[in-house]
């Protein structure tokens, strides 16, 4: 039997293909076959029915725990964003002591963490970070400022932690999306509770376009 995906002869897209996160929640649904399956277990004997009932209880507990994990992972991202805002505030204060810094930047920093959605906040933080970097590049002597250097190092560290936290969040979302579609126990429980798939983290269009730009 030939390979379904044959790298030697299968068609390829020479232009390439970009990918996007699909903003769609898919509900877990089961049909009459699942109901018949459960009835048969009870008809055959009490023990199979009881065993499957216990399995559904275990699946329900697992899904509830997984929901809490997803919420925890999302909170971790928020915590790192909060820390990064504080670091950028410190950077802005240091710059303001050394030169007349753009007051609009202070306004943007003050507006951060004001209840907007996570993607919008992350984009705003990146914009402030870019403005601070531009100011530092304009005044090379500032790079020797030890306090500023320490703050920028912390900023770089937090960005890596945010990236790692987003990856952990996406892993949990993937686990959830796979679990609620796993028939019979988890999917039957998920369908009864009205669970749907969850949307993983995605970047905004502006960031996507900037990633394709020239940096050097």
């Amino acid at each position: 039997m030939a390979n379904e995906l044959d790298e030697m002869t299968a068609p390829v897209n020479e232009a390439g293909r970009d990918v996007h996160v699909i903003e769609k929640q898919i509900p877990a649904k089961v049909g009459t076959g699942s109901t018949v399956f459960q009835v048969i277990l009870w008809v055959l004997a009490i023990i199979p029915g009881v065993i499957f009932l216990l399995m559904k209880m275990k699946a329900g507990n697992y899904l509830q725990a997984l929901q809490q994990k997803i919420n925890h992972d999302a909170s971790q991202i928020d915590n790192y964003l909060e820390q990064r805002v504080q670091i950028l505030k410190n950077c802005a204060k240091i710059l303001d002591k050394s030169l007349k810094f753009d007051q609009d930047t202070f306004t943007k920093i003050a507006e951060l963490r004001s209840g907007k959605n996570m993607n919008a906040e992350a984009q705003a933080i990146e914009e402030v970070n870019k403005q601070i970097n531009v100011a530092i590049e304009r005044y090379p002597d500032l790079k020797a400022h030890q306090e500023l250097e320490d703050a920028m190092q912390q900023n770089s560290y937090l960005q890596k932690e945010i990236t790692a936290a987003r990856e952990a969040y996406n892993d949990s979302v993937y686990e959830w999306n796979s679990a609620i579609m796993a028939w019979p126990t988890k999917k039957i429980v998920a369908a009864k509770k009205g669970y749907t798939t969850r949307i993983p983290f995605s970047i905004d269009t502006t960031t996507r376009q900037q990633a394709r730009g020239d940096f050097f």
Side-chain angles (χ1 to χ4, degrees):
M1 180 178 178
N3 294 332
E4 289 86 354
L5 300 176
D6 188 349
E7 69 275 14
M8 302 301 293
T9 60
V12 297
N13 183 356
E14 298 292 348
R17 180 187 297 276
D18 205 347
V19 294
H20 297 269
V21 174
I22 307 301
E23 291 280 342
K24 182 178 181 180
Q25 291 180 301
I26 303 173
K29 294 182 179 180
V30 292
T32 55
S34 295
T35 303
V36 172
F37 170 74
Q38 295 179 80
V39 170
I40 289 176
L41 290 178
W42 286 104
V43 170
L44 290 177
I46 297 296
I47 293 179
V50 171
I51 290 175
F52 191 69
L53 179 62
L54 293 175
M55 289 173 64
K56 288 196 296 181
M57 292 174 61
K58 183 178 179 181
N61 292 336
Y62 166 76
L63 292 176
Q64 288 180 355
L66 189 52
Q67 284 193 92
Q68 294 300 320
K69 184 176 185 301
I70 292 173
N71 206 37
H72 166 77
D73 291 342
S75 178
Q76 278 292 96
I77 299 173
D78 227 27
N79 287 339
Y80 286 129
L81 288 173
E82 178 72 30
Q83 293 178 49
R84 197 171 181 211
V85 167
Q86 295 303 319
I87 293 297
L88 291 176
K89 284 182 178 179
N90 292 338
C91 291
K93 287 178 181 178
I94 296 170
L95 289 172
D96 193 47
K97 291 178 182 178
S98 304
L99 52 95
K100 184 175 176 54
F101 197 48
D102 185 359
Q103 290 301 313
D104 288 341
T105 300
F106 283 108
T107 301
K108 290 179 181 178
I109 292 176
E111 291 174 349
L112 293 175
R113 317 300 299 134
S114 58
K116 296 178 289 186
N117 66 69
M118 193 178 295
N119 278 0
E121 288 177 344
Q123 182 181 355
I125 290 171
E126 285 303 324
E127 182 63 27
V128 170
N129 181 62
K130 182 170 66 176
Q131 290 178 337
I132 289 175
N133 284 329
V134 168
I136 293 173
E137 289 300 321
R138 286 178 180 172
Y139 300 90
D141 291 343
L142 288 173
K143 293 181 179 179
H145 195 304
Q146 187 60 49
E147 193 175 354
L148 180 59
E149 182 181 352
D150 292 343
M152 294 306 293
Q153 287 181 351
Q154 292 177 53
N155 179 47
S156 178
Y157 165 77
L158 285 172
Q159 178 54 45
K160 293 177 183 177
E161 290 298 312
I162 290 169
T163 300
R166 286 169 176 164
E167 184 67 24
Y169 174 81
N170 279 352
D171 287 344
S172 295
V173 167
Y174 172 76
E175 185 178 351
W176 169 269
N177 291 345
S178 299
I180 66 169
M181 296 300 177
W183 192 86
T185 52
K186 294 185 181 69
K187 190 170 186 178
I188 289 174
V189 171
K192 184 177 180 180
K193 291 182 175 292
Y195 291 155
T196 68
T197 57
R198 295 172 183 265
I199 310 298
F201 169 80
S202 62
I203 62 174
D204 58 275
T205 301
T206 301
T207 303
R208 184 182 293 274
Q209 291 174 345
Q210 289 176 345
R212 296 193 186 97
D214 295 328
F215 293 92
F216 303 100

